[in-house]
Amino acid sequence: MKFHPRRTIRALLLPLAAGLALTALPAQTAQAASTLTNGGFESGGSGAATPAGWSEYGDTGASYTESGGHGGSYRLSHYSASAYKVETYQYLSGLADGNYTLTAWVRSSGGQNAAYLALKNCGSPEQRTDLPVSSSGWIRIVTPVKVTGNQCTISVNSDANAGNWINVDDVTFTSGTTGTTVHGADISSLAKSEAKGGVYRTGSGTAGDALAILRSSGMNYARLKVWVNPADGYNDKAHVLAMAKRVKAQGMKLLVDFHYSDTWADPGAQTKPAAWAGHSYSRLKTDVYNHTYDVLSALKAQGTTADMVQVGNEINGGMLWSEGSTDNWSQLAGLINSGYDAVKAVNSATLVALHLAKGGDKAGTEWWFDNALANGVRFDAIGLSYYGYWHGPLADFQTTLDDAAARYGKPVFVAETAYPFRLDSDDPLTNQIDTTGELVPGYPATAAGQARWMNDVASIVEAVPNGRGLGVFYWEATWTAVPGNGWDPADATSGNGWENQALFGYDDRALPSLSWFSHR
């Protein structure tokens, strides 16, 4: 259901000319105070032209309160039937200097030139957070700032096209700060791409090292998958060791993703490596330990110790089927703990993450981790895959992520996400996402849409309470269309259905969407 703001009495008020440029706000207003006033927009009720405690600038007819709040009865809305620019703001003075965080619940139709919350005139650089596109479910976003001059302006901004709208409610301004530490990408395809002739260029067209290009945009963490005996020889121990040296040379951290398979492991397939095929459950526990220890100890020996490890990949249904299926939780727990023990035996400081797909499935995530804990599974962090075109709306993702962090008291992160920058293919294989109907509403298949998706996902991770949101890994940032580097390691002619979701374009140039790596 689309929640469309009602114009109420605001329709009777003539807005200023559409397109009026927003200029610097006056330094102070009559409502100046050291605490936020009317953050729930309850004062004045529905149809208040200017919410109590707040001021407006620009096309003021587009800013008003109406019923349908997040926490209370009312909310702030921006809307007009014609294009508009409006700012609803509140100036705070007499603040003690220090770190503050603005928190708000928001919804947005999307389509605006810009729709964001801002903290400015605070004595430090202005901070902004875009409103994610969500026409039904409310999403909580945060914006941190350092106050150095005892004052700060809280600002809700819309630069919108006709019919665009936002809702904002339950705004708070409290001590503390936020941010994310992981701005990562899975680059498992890179070594094979380079070997098959893949070229990577800067945005201006200069050929270079893909890792260096990514690092220069702010990437600080690389994810590498490990297969046991893959048909093409890539993503094995030797290749992971070689790539790890490059990753660490760029000053990045390293996440090693054990699939415990010779090929793709995911919710639909958890096939044992051929070398382990006839092994008993007891032997499989030893296999998991030895394989995990072997790869990680070799990484440590060459000075590239793993910072984080996934014991299994998208193990919603377990791993090493059938012995490690979720149909037999005690055995699955034994296999996971065998991997955990191997990780800690190599380096006790390495984080062990457990990784599920379906990042919008709160009930499924709870079912899995409740069973894991009941069976004594040990882990340090929770990773979720969240692809918006498969795993539900952003509001469901936030609910799942917040719940996992609180319910299990663990840090959480997005182990995989991605978004297309175009829909057509650069090779003969049809792309996984190739029609507009598959896209997430409000996020076009453009470089700008790709960047917007990544920043909005990162904003939701940043908003996880108690600082438990670690960050985000982009999945397969370097998997461009290179002949011979297809999806099937056993078939050199297989194509790549993901090149339209890489972070390098069909001309091999880095896309502007790499800007997401600089998210707070």
Side-chain angles (χ1 to χ4, degrees):
M1 176 181 178
K2 181 178 179 180
F3 286 73
H4 201 290
R6 292 173 293 107
R7 287 295 287 137
T8 62
I9 66 168
R10 305 304 298 149
L12 302 176
L13 301 177
L14 290 174
L16 299 177
L20 179 66
L22 299 183
T23 58
L25 294 172
Q28 194 164 344
T29 72
Q31 290 82 21
S34 61
T35 56
L36 181 70
T37 301
N38 193 23
F41 302 99
E42 296 301 297
S43 298
S46 185
T50 304
W54 296 83
S55 301
E56 295 174 342
Y57 188 80
D59 298 323
T60 57
S63 174
Y64 53 94
T65 60
E66 62 181 347
S67 61
H70 168 261
S73 298
Y74 305 102
R75 67 196 184 204
L76 172 71
S77 291
H78 286 179
Y79 168 81
S80 177
S82 56
Y84 63 95
K85 292 183 181 181
V86 69
E87 184 167 16
T88 308
Y89 65 94
Q90 189 168 151
Y91 170 79
L92 301 181
S93 64
L95 294 169
D97 285 348
N99 292 316
Y100 290 84
T101 296
L102 178 72
T103 303
W105 288 87
V106 302
R107 298 192 298 204
S108 173
S109 66
Q112 299 93 343
N113 300 314
Y116 60 91
L117 302 184
L119 294 171
K120 55 190 182 179
N121 307 323
C122 307
S124 61
E126 178 179 336
Q127 297 295 314
R128 294 184 179 184
T129 304
D130 290 332
L131 272 62
V133 180
S134 179
S135 61
S136 55
W138 289 91
I139 292 173
R140 186 184 64 258
I141 58 174
V142 293
T143 311
V145 76
K146 185 174 184 179
V147 173
T148 62
N150 306 115
Q151 64 182 19
C152 195
T153 299
I154 296 166
S155 176
V156 181
N157 283 265
S158 292
D159 177 356
N161 296 299
N164 297 159
W165 59 265
I166 65 169
N167 301 149
V168 178
D169 202 6
D170 296 335
V171 181
T172 62
F173 188 70
T174 57
S175 296
T177 191
T178 64
T180 51
T181 57
V182 174
H183 305 146
D186 192 304
I187 53 165
S188 297
S189 64
L190 180 57
K192 187 174 181 181
S193 174
E194 292 172 335
K196 299 294 182 180
V199 174
Y200 298 88
R201 302 181 183 278
T202 65
S204 60
T206 303
D209 176 17
L211 273 178
I213 294 169
L214 290 165
R215 182 72 182 98
S216 68
S217 294
M219 176 175 157
N220 64 9
Y221 222 124
R223 180 178 187 254
L224 297 173
K225 70 170 175 271
V226 188
W227 288 338
V228 179
N229 290 304
D232 61 2
Y234 288 90
N235 302 120
D236 62 353
K237 174 186 171 183
H239 283 90
V240 168
L241 288 170
M243 188 59 72
K245 287 184 177 180
R246 294 174 57 186
V247 166
K248 294 283 187 168
Q250 291 290 340
M252 298 186 195
K253 290 187 175 182
L254 174 64
L255 167 58
V256 179
D257 173 18
F258 285 92
H259 284 227
Y260 302 113
S261 180
D262 293 335
T263 187
W264 302 101
D266 56 43
Q270 295 283 338
T271 305
K272 287 192 289 284
W276 306 358
H279 292 185
S280 65
Y281 165 65
S282 178
R283 178 74 181 277
L284 286 171
K285 284 199 295 182
T286 302
D287 291 332
V288 168
Y289 187 97
N290 289 345
H291 171 58
T292 307
Y293 187 91
D294 178 49
V295 173
L296 296 180
S297 61
L299 284 166
K300 182 179 180 180
Q302 70 173 15
T304 60
T305 301
D307 299 283
M308 193 188 314
V309 167
Q310 283 180 218
V311 175
N313 187 78
E314 294 190 333
I315 53 176
N316 300 62
M319 64 188 199
L320 293 165
W321 289 345
S322 59
E323 286 80 1
S325 163
T326 49
D327 291 337
N328 191 331
W329 264 102
S330 64
Q331 289 193 174
L332 174 56
L335 292 168
I336 293 172
N337 284 338
S338 188
Y340 177 95
D341 289 342
V343 175
K344 298 300 185 177
V346 174
N347 180 43
S348 60
T350 298
L351 292 177
V352 175
L354 299 183
H355 172 209
L356 302 185
K358 303 180 182 178
D361 181 7
K362 175 177 175 284
T365 302
E366 286 186 352
W367 174 85
W368 199 96
F369 279 100
D370 283 357
N371 275 289
L373 288 178
N375 284 275
V377 171
R378 299 190 296 279
F379 61 99
D380 303 317
I382 294 172
L384 298 176
S385 292
Y386 176 62
Y387 297 99
Y389 38 72
W390 291 329
H391 296 153
L394 285 164
D396 288 355
F397 164 58
Q398 180 167 70
T399 299
T400 305
L401 200 66
D402 288 355
D403 177 72
R407 189 178 182 92
Y408 308 110
K410 303 288 187 181
V412 294
F413 64 98
V414 176
E416 297 182 16
T417 190
Y419 205 77
F421 63 91
R422 58 195 293 171
L423 293 173
D424 59 319
S425 296
D426 197 25
D427 70 5
L429 184 66
T430 299
N431 290 330
Q432 295 248 359
I433 303 299
D434 69 334
T435 66
T436 54
E438 294 172 295
L439 298 174
V440 180
Y443 297 89
T446 61
Q450 187 182 51
R452 179 73 184 274
W453 175 259
M454 291 306 300
N455 277 301
D456 290 351
V457 168
S459 291
I460 288 173
V461 177
E462 183 186 7
V464 174
N466 301 309
R468 289 196 174 115
L470 294 180
V472 180
F473 288 92
Y474 194 93
W475 195 70
E476 284 290 11
T478 57
W479 200 6
T480 53
V482 176
N485 190 22
W487 70 271
D488 185 354
D491 180 3
T493 67
S494 64
N496 173 9
W498 205 258
E499 73 271 13
N500 68 323
Q501 298 194 65
L503 295 180
F504 291 84
Y506 291 3
D507 58 0
D508 302 324
R509 295 187 182 204
L511 293 167
S513 42
L514 261 66
S515 61
W516 89 264
F517 283 114
S518 62
H519 191 278
R520 282 188 305 269

